[in-house]
């Protein structure tokens, strides 16, 4: 989050995604798909593979790993709060989402794995990191709940289409050029851990 | 029958006036639950502010500043985080205090009321069928732990709603006694690196050492909700807390796992004696929001939230 802020509208083009670099600060506007449970990803992929119509246009879309609370009012749905959930829960299905649906962006927290990074590089997509636990701030960037997809008995289980307005700040933490801040940090932390463990054995083992 | 009556009479004579009503319990459950999910405790805020000054990496600094701004926004009756957790409460009381029957229902009413008022997400489910029962309640939920405190002059009820992001990374292990302090450090460091970016660092790390399976886990949980800056009463344990915190922050995971000096705000340890062939150790991670709030109930009806 060093240079000037970048303002983007969804859907994103491949050029949009490829123009972004790790470290860029981005504010997003437009429609995104809020998903937060594995079954939602599985259902989306199953529909596609069965050749059935999808409930939403996915090409150029952005998936937000986001559970939300909203209530019904006379003007439609009123958002109460949103927030980013742990993205690593969805590592298993995200590469397919990128390759088969043309998803260009993922918003979440905590980052995703190397297979996802490969799909980003191959297809042109990025990971937008939100700061976890910051519901009060990020909710301000959600203009409305456009609609519920596959309504469930419990509202918190629904996939939602959200309309964002200047949603951010988001940090590009994984880009389409093979860079992932998470991977950099993971590698150096594992190396540091191993050094520490070797030192521990030396100091604390009784001879 | 006679014995039961006798026992009751003795108890009443000792602490005649200290009966905690279900109305008080419901109030405490609701107020602490609400406070815990809307207000970051002052010690955690101070610690985050210090961390902003410490960090040199712009990304780490900005993450911490966002957390502070969010904490400020949330205190106007908004949730800090969309995951308001599974409700967990600790009741601490001394012998002689009486609770009315229907204590669990009082907790349930408090949790349901806040859930409704704040339109919280319904998170409590059957572990296998994944069916739902109520509004953040169900069999065994809220999770309620009792801690007996000898000679404690009041009742303390603490809400520590547990989020999924941090709660997922809790661990328990039975180490070999010979592994000793080095083993405990290895266990903590490996757990922290494995959790990485996922539990929303900078975290508060609670460590339990000793006891048995359930005691070590509960000690880790209690340690994770001790205020930042509160040192263990025994100097050598307090020194170990400082030492492990320093090691954890050398790993470099940083705020939200994006790199930096602040991976944890505190390491707190609680310990108990254990069985000779054992060295149980547990770790419970609290996310940066440091979610906790405590209600004090005094004899005579005075009550406050701290």
């Amino acid at each position: 989050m060093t240079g000037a802020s970048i303002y983007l509208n969804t859907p994103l083009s491949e050029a949009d995604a490829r123009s972004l670099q790790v470290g860029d600060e981005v504010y997003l506007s437009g429609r995104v798909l809020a998903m937060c449970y594995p079954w939602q990803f599985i259902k989306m992929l199953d529909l596609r593979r069965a050749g059935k119509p999808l409930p939403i246009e996915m090409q150029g879309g952005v998936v937000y790993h986001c559970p939300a609370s909203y209530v019904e009012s006379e003007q439609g749905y009123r958002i109460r709060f949103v927030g980013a959930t742990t993205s690593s829960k969805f590592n298993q299905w995200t590469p397919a989402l990128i390759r088969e649906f043309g998803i260009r962006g993922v918003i979440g927290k905590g980052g995703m794995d190397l297979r996802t990074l490969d799909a980003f590089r191959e297809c042109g997509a990025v990971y937008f990191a939100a700061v976890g636990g910051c519901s009060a701030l990020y909710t301000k960037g959600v203009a409305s709940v456009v609609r519920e997809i596959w309504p469930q008995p419990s509202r918190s289980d629904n996939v939602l289409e959200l309309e964002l307005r200047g949603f951010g700040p988001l940090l590009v933490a994984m880009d389409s050029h093979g860079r992932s801040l998470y991977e950099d940090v993971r590698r150096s932390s594992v190396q540091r851990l191993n050094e520490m463990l070797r030192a521990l054995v030396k100091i604390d083992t009784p001879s | 029958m006679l014995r039961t009556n006798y026992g009751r009479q003795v108890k009443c004579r000792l602490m005649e006036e200290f009966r905690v009503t279900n109305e008080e319990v419901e109030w405490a459950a609701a107020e602490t639950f609400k406070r815990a999910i809307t207000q970051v405790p002052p010690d955690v805020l101070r610690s985050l502010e210090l961390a902003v000054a410490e960090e040199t990496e712009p990304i780490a600094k900005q993450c911490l500043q966002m957390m502070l701004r969010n904490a400020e926004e949330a205190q106007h009756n908004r949730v800090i985080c969309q995951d308001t957790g599974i409700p967990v409460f600790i009741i601490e009381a001394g012998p002689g205090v009486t609770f009315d029957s229907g204590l669990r229902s009082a907790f349930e009413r408090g949790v349901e009321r806040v859930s409704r008022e704040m339109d919280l997400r319904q998170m409590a489910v059957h572990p296998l069928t994944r069916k739902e029962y109520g509004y953040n309640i169900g069999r065994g939920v809220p999770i309620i732990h009792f801690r007996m405190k000898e000679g404690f002059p009041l009742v303390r009820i603490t809400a520590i709603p547990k989020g999924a992001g941090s709660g997922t990374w809790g661990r328990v292990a039975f180490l070999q006694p010979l592994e000793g302090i080095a083993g405990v450090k290895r266990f903590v460091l490996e757990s922290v690196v494995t959790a990485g970016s996922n539990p929303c660092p900078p975290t508060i790390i609670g460590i339990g050492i000793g006891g048995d399976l359930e005691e070590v886990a509960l000690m880790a949980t209690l340690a994770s909700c001790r205020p930042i800056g509160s040192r263990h009463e025994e100097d050598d344990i307090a020194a170990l807390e400082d030492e492990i915190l320093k090691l954890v922050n050398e790993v470099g995971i940083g705020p939200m796992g994006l790199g930096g000096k602040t991976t944890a705000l505190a390491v707190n340890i609680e310990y108990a004696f254990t069985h000779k062939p054992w060295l149980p150790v547990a770790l419970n991670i609290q996310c940066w929001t440091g979610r906790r709030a405590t209600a004090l109930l005094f004899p005579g009806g005075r009550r406050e939230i701290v």
Side-chain angles (χ1 to χ4, degrees):
Chain A
M1 306 192 183
T2 41
S5 301
I6 297 164
Y7 294 84
L8 289 173
N9 290 299
T10 63
L12 302 179
S13 66
E14 183 175 351
D16 287 334
R18 295 220 183 260
S19 72
L20 295 170
Q21 308 271 346
V22 151
D24 286 343
E25 183 181 271
V26 175
Y27 289 83
L28 278 182
S29 294
R31 292 186 178 184
V32 298
L33 198 56
M35 298 170 81
C36 63
Y37 292 110
W39 69 263
Q40 301 168 342
F41 292 78
I42 294 166
K43 183 161 178 176
M44 203 67 92
L45 289 166
D46 283 352
L47 283 178
R48 171 81 175 200
R49 286 166 189 173
K52 291 189 179 143
L54 296 175
I56 189 169
E57 174 56 47
M58 303 283 275
Q59 188 61 43
V62 170
V63 169
Y64 180 11
H65 296 155
C66 167
S69 168
Y70 57 102
V71 291
E72 259 171 301
S73 69
E74 282 172 17
Q75 293 82 36
Y77 302 116
R78 187 168 61 85
I79 196 82
R80 289 285 269 132
F81 54 83
V82 297
T85 191
T86 310
S87 298
S88 59
K89 292 181 283 192
F90 316 119
N91 278 334
Q92 198 179 330
W93 306 283
T94 301
L97 219 60
I98 305 293
R99 293 195 174 101
E100 297 177 33
F101 293 96
I103 292 292
R104 299 266 173 229
V106 174
I107 308 171
K109 67 135 181 121
M112 305 195 75
D113 64 4
L114 289 173
R115 288 177 310 153
T116 308
L117 189 65
D118 283 344
F120 285 172
R121 183 168 40 192
E122 194 184 304
C123 307
V126 297
Y127 182 84
F128 299 108
V131 179
C134 288
S135 283
L137 284 186
Y138 284 106
T139 301
K140 290 176 164 184
V142 179
S144 64
V145 177
V146 180
R147 64 191 174 108
E148 295 171 323
I149 294 168
W150 308 321
Q152 300 295 308
S154 178
R155 193 169 270 174
S156 58
D157 289 342
N158 292 340
V159 175
L160 299 174
E161 192 178 7
L162 300 177
E163 176 81 27
L164 305 184
R165 195 181 297 143
F167 182 87
L170 299 166
L171 171 77
V172 176
M174 297 166 69
D175 64 20
S176 63
H177 313 289
R179 274 209 65 192
S180 163
L181 284 179
Y182 301 101
E183 185 55 19
D184 295 352
V185 171
R186 196 194 61 79
R187 242 182 249 160
S188 64
S189 67
V190 168
Q191 193 186 343
R192 188 74 196 97
L193 171 72
N194 288 332
E195 289 165 12
M196 283 181 182
L197 294 184
R198 276 196 294 274
L200 274 181
V201 174
K202 259 183 228 152
I203 297 163
D204 290 329
T205 308
S207 50
Chain B
M1 195 63 184
L2 191 67
R3 216 178 293 157
T4 314
N5 280 338
Y6 179 68
R8 257 191 217 144
Q9 277 162 12
V10 168
K11 213 192 296 179
C12 290
R13 211 168 296 138
L14 283 174
M15 296 283 289
E16 209 161 0
E17 73 283 20
F18 205 1
R19 175 177 151 241
V20 175
T21 65
N22 281 337
E23 187 274 325
E24 287 176 297
V25 170
E26 183 183 331
W27 173 85
E31 293 302 314
T32 55
F33 183 41
K34 189 167 178 176
R35 171 81 67 109
I37 59 176
T38 55
Q39 293 193 32
V40 178
D43 56 291
V44 179
L45 289 176
R46 263 197 308 279
S47 182
L48 288 168
E49 277 161 10
L50 289 174
V52 174
E54 278 279 302
E55 285 289 357
T56 45
E57 293 293 325
I59 289 172
K61 238 184 184 16
Q62 187 170 357
C63 280
L64 293 166
Q65 282 162 341
M66 294 256 313
M67 290 167 184
L68 284 164
R69 268 174 52 211
N70 185 69
E72 207 180 308
E73 284 286 331
Q75 57 183 341
H76 310 297
N77 221 8
R78 282 186 229 175
V79 297
I80 304 162
C81 175
Q82 83 291 340
D83 180 0
T84 47
I86 189 94
V88 181
F89 293 93
I90 314 277
I91 307 175
E92 293 163 291
V97 178
T98 56
F99 292 94
D100 290 346
S101 66
L103 182 66
R104 172 164 285 282
S105 306
F107 274 97
E108 289 177 353
R109 284 195 300 275
V111 165
E112 279 197 305
R113 175 148 57 84
V114 173
S115 300
R116 229 183 347 264
E117 271 172 26
M118 305 203 58
D119 297 311
L120 300 187
R121 295 161 60 218
Q122 197 305 103
M123 302 308 291
V125 293
H126 185 291
L128 299 174
T129 65
R130 313 308 286 182
K131 288 227 159 63
E132 303 181 3
Y133 165 79
Y135 207 162
N136 286 320
I137 65 169
R139 183 186 170 101
V141 174
I143 295 164
I144 303 169
H145 300 292
F146 274 96
R147 294 298 273 185
M148 202 266 284
K149 288 223 156 195
E150 199 68 56
F152 201 53
L154 49 101
V155 170
R156 193 154 66 181
I157 296 179
T158 301
I160 43 168
K162 194 68 185 170
S166 62
T168 302
W169 303 94
R171 279 177 77 193
V172 179
F174 277 67
L175 307 182
Q176 294 291 333
L178 268 178
E179 291 182 78
I181 291 177
V184 172
K185 289 178 187 165
R186 177 179 56 75
F187 171 81
V188 175
L189 290 170
E190 282 176 353
S191 303
V192 167
V193 171
T194 305
S197 61
N198 296 301
C200 287
T203 57
I204 300 164
I205 298 172
I207 300 169
I209 306 173
D212 62 356
L213 181 70
E214 70 279 6
E215 181 66 12
V216 77
L218 191 51
M219 285 192 295
T221 302
L222 294 171
S224 75
C225 52
R226 238 175 58 200
I228 296 174
S230 67
R231 292 165 61 82
H232 193 275
E233 70 232 42
E234 293 179 20
D235 286 342
D236 50 348
I237 300 291
L240 185 59
E241 291 175 339
D242 293 344
E243 197 189 339
I244 296 181
L245 176 63
K246 194 164 162 286
L247 289 175
V248 164
N249 282 334
E250 278 175 28
V251 168
I253 291 167
M256 293 314 296
L258 293 164
K261 295 175 186 168
T262 328
T263 300
L265 300 173
V267 169
N268 298 330
I269 300 174
E270 293 295 326
Y271 85 94
F273 272 41
T274 190
H275 199 16
K276 206 171 259 184
W278 289 349
L279 173 48
V281 52
L283 169 138
N284 196 343
I285 297 180
Q286 169 70 272
C287 62
W288 71 263
T289 66
R291 272 201 300 227
R292 68 176 130 84
T294 297
L296 305 179
L297 303 175
F298 297 88
R302 188 159 77 84
R303 48 173 87 164
E304 57 185 75
I305 301 280
V306 293

